[in-house]
Amino acid sequence: MNAHTEPTADRQTGDGTGSSEVQSLRWLLTRLVEETPAVHSVAVVSSDGLLLLSSDPGRTAEAEAGGGTGPRGSSADLASIVSGLAALTGSAAELMSFGTVKQTMVAMEQGTLFVMAISDGSLLGVHAAADADMSLVAYQMTMFVGRAGHVLTPEVRSELRRSVESGR
């Protein structure tokens, strides 16, 4: 997919369902995954820690059915980790009087976790391979946040929650 492709059919459900804002967010998420090598999964998480959007919604259903294999096996697990990490770093920044946390990166032996704040308090979490180009991942996340931040209205967040709950 290139930068000039418009959102048409919804890759998450395959049928283009949802408002144009939700379809646009899903399209942006798909672009982030497709244009960033070594990205394993991506999750958009609400300010209260609920999964709103995932690069692989099938993993959520698989994990709920008992087929999950931990953080890499479930989009909901990634959302929980992203939410918890954001809470921890936010508390640390507050304790040190450093202001709000804009992004966090955790480098591990076999992977990297990136968390970036979205303007409405939601979070963007990216799980990538250890050898991922960190600057490219950060750039693509910044582009997503810049484009998606104004779209995540309370109505759109509510629609996304309903979509996740129904498995779409």
Side-chain angles (χ1 to χ4, degrees):
M1 196 175 285
N2 63 43
H4 301 292
T5 307
E6 292 298 319
T8 52
D10 174 85
R11 184 182 130 167
Q12 308 298 317
T13 63
D15 63 3
T17 60
S19 67
S20 61
E21 292 86 359
V22 167
Q23 288 183 46
S24 180
L25 286 170
R26 289 180 174 150
W27 179 76
L28 288 170
L29 187 90
T30 299
R31 284 191 57 209
L32 188 155
V33 171
E34 290 178 351
E35 295 179 2
T36 315
V39 166
H40 295 306
S41 58
V42 179
V44 176
V45 183
S46 69
S47 59
D48 55 355
L50 297 174
L51 178 66
L52 295 177
L53 191 59
S54 167
S55 62
D56 190 359
R59 286 188 177 181
T60 302
E62 177 184 303
E64 289 172 359
T69 59
R72 289 176 287 171
S74 165
S75 299
D77 289 341
L78 178 58
S80 295
I81 292 166
V82 165
S83 180
L85 186 59
L88 178 64
T89 56
S91 294
E94 185 177 319
L95 182 66
M96 294 185 279
S97 301
F98 284 162
T100 59
V101 176
K102 295 182 180 187
Q103 64 185 37
T104 303
M105 183 194 80
V106 179
M108 299 164 274
E109 276 183 44
Q110 298 180 23
T112 307
L113 177 63
F114 301 86
V115 178
M116 189 173 286
I118 300 176
S119 62
D120 72 331
S122 298
L123 303 162
L124 174 63
V126 174
H127 174 224
D131 62 349
D133 180 342
M134 290 184 232
S135 61
L136 178 60
V137 174
Y139 171 79
Q140 291 289 4
M141 290 177 72
T142 301
M143 296 303 292
F144 179 93
V145 166
R147 293 174 179 149
H150 70 283
V151 177
L152 277 168
T153 63
E155 294 81 18
V156 170
R157 286 192 305 271
S158 181
E159 183 179 347
L160 287 167
R161 283 183 183 150
R162 285 191 307 272
S163 178
V164 168
E165 289 169 2
S166 69
R168 290 187 297 151

